[in-house]
mmCIF file of all heavy atoms in Angstrom:
data_model
loop_
_atom_site.group_PDB
_atom_site.id
_atom_site.type_symbol
_atom_site.label_atom_id
_atom_site.label_comp_id
_atom_site.label_asym_id
_atom_site.label_seq_id
_atom_site.Cartn_x
_atom_site.Cartn_y
_atom_site.Cartn_z
ATOM 1 N N LYS A 270 -21.259 -31.598 44.558
ATOM 2 C CA LYS A 270 -21.939 -32.608 45.405
ATOM 3 C C LYS A 270 -21.629 -32.218 46.959
ATOM 4 O O LYS A 270 -22.540 -32.409 47.753
ATOM 5 C CB LYS A 270 -21.499 -34.062 45.118
ATOM 6 C CG LYS A 270 -21.909 -34.593 43.854
ATOM 7 C CD LYS A 270 -23.417 -34.620 43.688
ATOM 8 C CE LYS A 270 -23.892 -35.189 42.300
ATOM 9 N NZ LYS A 270 -25.283 -35.252 42.254
ATOM 10 N N GLU A 271 -20.458 -31.796 47.235
ATOM 11 C CA GLU A 271 -20.166 -31.532 48.592
ATOM 12 C C GLU A 271 -20.975 -30.311 49.060
ATOM 13 O O GLU A 271 -21.481 -30.234 50.242
ATOM 14 C CB GLU A 271 -18.643 -31.164 48.655
ATOM 15 C CG GLU A 271 -18.026 -31.144 50.072
ATOM 16 C CD GLU A 271 -18.178 -29.792 50.770
ATOM 17 O OE1 GLU A 271 -18.270 -28.765 50.058
ATOM 18 O OE2 GLU A 271 -18.304 -29.759 52.015
ATOM 19 N N LYS A 272 -21.135 -29.357 48.224
ATOM 20 C CA LYS A 272 -21.931 -28.079 48.550
ATOM 21 C C LYS A 272 -23.335 -28.480 48.724
ATOM 22 O O LYS A 272 -24.055 -28.079 49.716
ATOM 23 C CB LYS A 272 -21.809 -27.098 47.429
ATOM 24 C CG LYS A 272 -22.638 -25.777 47.762
ATOM 25 C CD LYS A 272 -22.414 -24.751 46.581
ATOM 26 C CE LYS A 272 -23.141 -23.503 47.026
ATOM 27 N NZ LYS A 272 -23.002 -22.462 45.840
ATOM 28 N N MET A 273 -23.919 -29.418 47.910
ATOM 29 C CA MET A 273 -25.254 -29.899 47.853
ATOM 30 C C MET A 273 -25.499 -30.703 49.205
ATOM 31 O O MET A 273 -26.498 -30.549 49.850
ATOM 32 C CB MET A 273 -25.567 -30.703 46.716
ATOM 33 C CG MET A 273 -27.112 -31.173 46.535
ATOM 34 S SD MET A 273 -27.332 -32.287 45.202
ATOM 35 C CE MET A 273 -26.880 -31.340 43.820
ATOM 36 N N ALA A 274 -24.596 -31.620 49.482
ATOM 37 C CA ALA A 274 -24.714 -32.428 50.697
ATOM 38 C C ALA A 274 -24.691 -31.536 51.964
ATOM 39 O O ALA A 274 -25.426 -31.791 52.910
ATOM 40 C CB ALA A 274 -23.581 -33.421 50.793
ATOM 41 N N ARG A 275 -23.883 -30.448 51.989
ATOM 42 C CA ARG A 275 -23.744 -29.602 53.115
ATOM 43 C C ARG A 275 -24.999 -28.727 53.378
ATOM 44 O O ARG A 275 -25.467 -28.584 54.413
ATOM 45 C CB ARG A 275 -22.480 -28.646 52.957
ATOM 46 C CG ARG A 275 -22.112 -27.973 54.194
ATOM 47 C CD ARG A 275 -20.714 -27.365 54.057
ATOM 48 N NE ARG A 275 -20.128 -27.300 52.785
ATOM 49 C CZ ARG A 275 -20.224 -26.212 51.910
ATOM 50 N NH1 ARG A 275 -20.983 -25.163 52.310
ATOM 51 N NH2 ARG A 275 -19.593 -26.171 50.768
ATOM 52 N N THR A 276 -25.588 -28.328 52.220
ATOM 53 C CA THR A 276 -26.753 -27.326 52.436
ATOM 54 C C THR A 276 -28.031 -28.103 52.514
ATOM 55 O O THR A 276 -28.968 -27.643 53.200
ATOM 56 C CB THR A 276 -26.842 -26.402 51.223
ATOM 57 O OG1 THR A 276 -26.769 -27.194 49.896
ATOM 58 C CG2 THR A 276 -25.599 -25.450 51.115
ATOM 59 N N SER A 277 -28.178 -29.189 51.760
ATOM 60 C CA SER A 277 -29.505 -29.894 51.740
ATOM 61 C C SER A 277 -29.608 -31.159 52.687
ATOM 62 O O SER A 277 -30.699 -31.633 52.860
ATOM 63 C CB SER A 277 -29.910 -30.366 50.412
ATOM 64 O OG SER A 277 -28.962 -31.347 49.911
ATOM 65 N N LYS A 278 -28.387 -31.600 53.139
ATOM 66 C CA LYS A 278 -28.378 -32.824 53.959
ATOM 67 C C LYS A 278 -28.868 -34.025 53.072
ATOM 68 O O LYS A 278 -29.374 -35.006 53.777
ATOM 69 C CB LYS A 278 -29.049 -32.685 55.275
ATOM 70 C CG LYS A 278 -28.687 -31.455 56.128
ATOM 71 C CD LYS A 278 -27.271 -31.497 56.500
ATOM 72 C CE LYS A 278 -26.871 -30.278 57.424
ATOM 73 N NZ LYS A 278 -25.454 -30.276 57.793
ATOM 74 N N ASP A 279 -28.827 -33.898 51.890
ATOM 75 C CA ASP A 279 -29.311 -34.947 51.065
ATOM 76 C C ASP A 279 -28.398 -36.284 51.201
ATOM 77 O O ASP A 279 -27.273 -36.122 50.999
ATOM 78 C CB ASP A 279 -29.423 -34.561 49.527
ATOM 79 C CG ASP A 279 -29.968 -35.685 48.637
ATOM 80 O OD1 ASP A 279 -31.199 -35.738 48.468
ATOM 81 O OD2 ASP A 279 -29.115 -36.432 48.196
ATOM 82 N N VAL A 280 -29.080 -37.334 51.525
ATOM 83 C CA VAL A 280 -28.351 -38.651 51.711
ATOM 84 C C VAL A 280 -27.596 -39.152 50.548
ATOM 85 O O VAL A 280 -26.373 -39.475 50.631
ATOM 86 C CB VAL A 280 -29.214 -39.740 52.267
ATOM 87 C CG1 VAL A 280 -28.497 -41.060 52.487
ATOM 88 C CG2 VAL A 280 -29.955 -39.300 53.586
ATOM 89 N N ASN A 281 -28.225 -39.047 49.348
ATOM 90 C CA ASN A 281 -27.505 -39.486 48.174
ATOM 91 C C ASN A 281 -26.444 -38.634 47.839
ATOM 92 O O ASN A 281 -25.370 -39.059 47.366
ATOM 93 C CB ASN A 281 -28.545 -39.466 46.999
ATOM 94 C CG ASN A 281 -29.636 -40.632 47.173
ATOM 95 O OD1 ASN A 281 -29.268 -41.667 47.750
ATOM 96 N ND2 ASN A 281 -30.799 -40.351 46.841
ATOM 97 N N ALA A 282 -26.581 -37.270 48.016
ATOM 98 C CA ALA A 282 -25.504 -36.290 47.575
ATOM 99 C C ALA A 282 -24.362 -36.506 48.499
ATOM 100 O O ALA A 282 -23.231 -36.376 48.137
ATOM 101 C CB ALA A 282 -25.997 -34.821 47.714
ATOM 102 N N LEU A 283 -24.628 -36.749 49.844
ATOM 103 C CA LEU A 283 -23.621 -37.029 50.762
ATOM 104 C C LEU A 283 -22.808 -38.302 50.400
ATOM 105 O O LEU A 283 -21.591 -38.345 50.531
ATOM 106 C CB LEU A 283 -24.204 -37.267 52.149
ATOM 107 C CG LEU A 283 -23.210 -37.528 53.280
ATOM 108 C CD1 LEU A 283 -22.263 -36.365 53.497
ATOM 109 C CD2 LEU A 283 -23.998 -37.774 54.661
ATOM 110 N N ALA A 284 -23.467 -39.409 49.957
ATOM 111 C CA ALA A 284 -22.804 -40.637 49.599
ATOM 112 C C ALA A 284 -21.912 -40.386 48.418
ATOM 113 O O ALA A 284 -20.761 -40.801 48.339
ATOM 114 C CB ALA A 284 -23.805 -41.712 49.275
ATOM 115 N N GLU A 285 -22.478 -39.699 47.378
ATOM 116 C CA GLU A 285 -21.594 -39.330 46.214
ATOM 117 C C GLU A 285 -20.521 -38.471 46.531
ATOM 118 O O GLU A 285 -19.410 -38.662 46.028
ATOM 119 C CB GLU A 285 -22.481 -38.602 45.129
ATOM 120 C CG GLU A 285 -23.511 -39.606 44.568
ATOM 121 C CD GLU A 285 -24.362 -38.784 43.381
ATOM 122 O OE1 GLU A 285 -23.723 -38.313 42.496
ATOM 123 O OE2 GLU A 285 -25.553 -38.857 43.520
ATOM 124 N N ALA A 286 -20.628 -37.483 47.414
ATOM 125 C CA ALA A 286 -19.531 -36.553 47.825
ATOM 126 C C ALA A 286 -18.384 -37.427 48.625
ATOM 127 O O ALA A 286 -17.248 -37.096 48.200
ATOM 128 C CB ALA A 286 -20.102 -35.500 48.759
ATOM 129 N N GLU A 287 -18.852 -38.267 49.314
ATOM 130 C CA GLU A 287 -17.843 -39.175 50.064
ATOM 131 C C GLU A 287 -17.015 -40.019 49.114
ATOM 132 O O GLU A 287 -15.800 -40.222 49.236
ATOM 133 C CB GLU A 287 -18.433 -40.046 51.182
ATOM 134 C CG GLU A 287 -19.025 -39.172 52.363
ATOM 135 C CD GLU A 287 -19.710 -40.123 53.331
ATOM 136 O OE1 GLU A 287 -20.017 -41.257 53.030
ATOM 137 O OE2 GLU A 287 -19.965 -39.529 54.442
ATOM 138 N N LEU A 288 -17.717 -40.540 48.112
ATOM 139 C CA LEU A 288 -16.996 -41.376 47.084
ATOM 140 C C LEU A 288 -16.168 -40.501 46.280
ATOM 141 O O LEU A 288 -14.892 -40.949 45.964
ATOM 142 C CB LEU A 288 -18.049 -42.094 46.167
ATOM 143 C CG LEU A 288 -17.494 -42.837 44.932
ATOM 144 C CD1 LEU A 288 -16.464 -43.898 45.470
ATOM 145 C CD2 LEU A 288 -18.563 -43.381 44.129
ATOM 146 N N LEU A 289 -16.571 -39.361 45.787
ATOM 147 C CA LEU A 289 -15.787 -38.408 45.023
ATOM 148 C C LEU A 289 -14.475 -37.943 45.797
ATOM 149 O O LEU A 289 -13.403 -37.904 45.170
ATOM 150 C CB LEU A 289 -16.558 -37.227 44.563
ATOM 151 C CG LEU A 289 -17.615 -37.509 43.404
ATOM 152 C CD1 LEU A 289 -18.661 -36.367 43.415
ATOM 153 C CD2 LEU A 289 -16.948 -37.758 42.138
ATOM 154 N N LYS A 290 -14.605 -37.764 47.099
ATOM 155 C CA LYS A 290 -13.512 -37.459 47.914
ATOM 156 C C LYS A 290 -12.412 -38.557 47.962
ATOM 157 O O LYS A 290 -11.223 -38.482 47.832
ATOM 158 C CB LYS A 290 -13.841 -37.122 49.326
ATOM 159 C CG LYS A 290 -12.831 -36.500 50.230
ATOM 160 C CD LYS A 290 -13.340 -36.204 51.646
ATOM 161 C CE LYS A 290 -12.176 -35.590 52.454
ATOM 162 N NZ LYS A 290 -12.688 -35.144 53.775
ATOM 163 N N LYS A 291 -12.939 -39.825 48.079
ATOM 164 C CA LYS A 291 -12.146 -41.004 48.061
ATOM 165 C C LYS A 291 -11.362 -41.199 46.714
ATOM 166 O O LYS A 291 -10.180 -41.404 46.685
ATOM 167 C CB LYS A 291 -12.937 -42.247 48.356
ATOM 168 C CG LYS A 291 -12.271 -43.500 48.608
ATOM 169 C CD LYS A 291 -13.051 -44.738 48.591
ATOM 170 C CE LYS A 291 -14.091 -44.781 49.786
ATOM 171 N NZ LYS A 291 -14.665 -46.156 49.850
ATOM 172 N N ILE A 292 -12.121 -40.946 45.671
ATOM 173 C CA ILE A 292 -11.483 -40.938 44.299
ATOM 174 C C ILE A 292 -10.421 -39.911 44.178
ATOM 175 O O ILE A 292 -9.368 -40.110 43.608
ATOM 176 C CB ILE A 292 -12.613 -40.932 43.286
ATOM 177 C CG1 ILE A 292 -13.555 -42.091 43.304
ATOM 178 C CG2 ILE A 292 -11.983 -40.806 41.869
ATOM 179 C CD1 ILE A 292 -14.814 -41.796 42.488
ATOM 180 N N LEU A 293 -10.754 -38.711 44.586
ATOM 181 C CA LEU A 293 -9.809 -37.581 44.529
ATOM 182 C C LEU A 293 -8.474 -37.853 45.151
ATOM 183 O O LEU A 293 -7.456 -37.529 44.615
ATOM 184 C CB LEU A 293 -10.573 -36.363 45.120
ATOM 185 C CG LEU A 293 -10.026 -34.964 44.734
ATOM 186 C CD1 LEU A 293 -10.086 -34.781 43.165
ATOM 187 C CD2 LEU A 293 -10.912 -33.882 45.323
ATOM 188 N N THR A 294 -8.600 -38.502 46.330
ATOM 189 C CA THR A 294 -7.308 -38.815 47.051
ATOM 190 C C THR A 294 -6.457 -39.754 46.279
ATOM 191 O O THR A 294 -5.293 -39.558 46.217
ATOM 192 C CB THR A 294 -7.738 -39.454 48.466
ATOM 193 O OG1 THR A 294 -8.518 -38.608 49.252
ATOM 194 C CG2 THR A 294 -6.482 -39.763 49.278
ATOM 195 N N VAL A 295 -7.058 -40.666 45.578
ATOM 196 C CA VAL A 295 -6.353 -41.650 44.766
ATOM 197 C C VAL A 295 -5.745 -41.030 43.527
ATOM 198 O O VAL A 295 -4.519 -41.274 43.283
ATOM 199 C CB VAL A 295 -7.228 -42.849 44.432
ATOM 200 C CG1 VAL A 295 -6.599 -43.732 43.276
ATOM 201 C CG2 VAL A 295 -7.616 -43.707 45.634
ATOM 202 N N LEU A 296 -6.479 -40.224 42.821
ATOM 203 C CA LEU A 296 -5.999 -39.532 41.634
ATOM 204 C C LEU A 296 -4.887 -38.564 42.033
ATOM 205 O O LEU A 296 -3.888 -38.456 41.305
ATOM 206 C CB LEU A 296 -7.139 -38.810 41.047
ATOM 207 C CG LEU A 296 -8.188 -39.696 40.265
ATOM 208 C CD1 LEU A 296 -9.411 -38.798 39.774
ATOM 209 C CD2 LEU A 296 -7.523 -40.409 39.004
ATOM 210 N N GLU A 297 -5.003 -37.876 43.085
ATOM 211 C CA GLU A 297 -3.995 -36.882 43.539
ATOM 212 C C GLU A 297 -2.639 -37.640 43.831
ATOM 213 O O GLU A 297 -1.552 -37.026 43.870
ATOM 214 C CB GLU A 297 -4.463 -36.025 44.652
ATOM 215 C CG GLU A 297 -5.520 -35.038 44.236
ATOM 216 C CD GLU A 297 -6.118 -34.199 45.416
ATOM 217 O OE1 GLU A 297 -6.050 -34.765 46.533
ATOM 218 O OE2 GLU A 297 -6.688 -33.140 45.226
ATOM 219 N N ALA A 298 -2.850 -38.937 44.248
ATOM 220 C CA ALA A 298 -1.629 -39.637 44.530
ATOM 221 C C ALA A 298 -1.065 -40.273 43.227
ATOM 222 O O ALA A 298 -0.058 -41.064 43.394
ATOM 223 C CB ALA A 298 -1.924 -40.757 45.515
ATOM 224 N N GLY A 299 -1.600 -39.963 42.143
ATOM 225 C CA GLY A 299 -1.042 -40.437 40.875
ATOM 226 C C GLY A 299 -1.514 -41.880 40.571
ATOM 227 O O GLY A 299 -0.751 -42.538 39.825
ATOM 228 N N GLN A 300 -2.590 -42.376 40.982
ATOM 229 C CA GLN A 300 -3.013 -43.641 40.833
ATOM 230 C C GLN A 300 -4.389 -43.629 40.077
ATOM 231 O O GLN A 300 -5.169 -42.723 40.185
ATOM 232 C CB GLN A 300 -3.213 -44.425 42.132
ATOM 233 C CG GLN A 300 -1.866 -44.776 42.763
ATOM 234 C CD GLN A 300 -2.157 -45.594 44.033
ATOM 235 O OE1 GLN A 300 -2.733 -45.127 44.996
ATOM 236 N NE2 GLN A 300 -1.637 -46.774 43.995
ATOM 237 N N PRO A 301 -4.746 -44.656 39.239
ATOM 238 C CA PRO A 301 -6.013 -44.606 38.544
ATOM 239 C C PRO A 301 -7.247 -44.979 39.472
ATOM 240 O O PRO A 301 -7.055 -45.605 40.489
ATOM 241 C CB PRO A 301 -5.875 -45.839 37.440
ATOM 242 C CG PRO A 301 -4.854 -46.760 38.127
ATOM 243 C CD PRO A 301 -3.936 -45.805 39.000
ATOM 244 N N CYS A 302 -8.352 -44.630 39.014
ATOM 245 C CA CYS A 302 -9.498 -44.844 39.779
ATOM 246 C C CYS A 302 -9.883 -46.295 40.026
ATOM 247 O O CYS A 302 -10.523 -46.692 41.016
ATOM 248 C CB CYS A 302 -10.758 -44.231 39.099
ATOM 249 S SG CYS A 302 -10.626 -42.516 38.816
#
Side-chain angles (χ1 to χ4, degrees):
K270 292 295 180 182
E271 195 273 336
K272 183 178 179 180
M273 187 185 299
R275 191 165 16 90
T276 55
S277 69
K278 307 297 182 184
D279 181 88
V280 175
N281 293 329
L283 181 61
E285 288 183 53
E287 288 178 351
L288 173 59
L289 287 163
K290 187 176 181 180
K291 188 189 292 189
I292 296 169
L293 203 54
T294 302
V295 167
L296 288 170
E297 287 174 340
Q300 293 183 292
C302 298

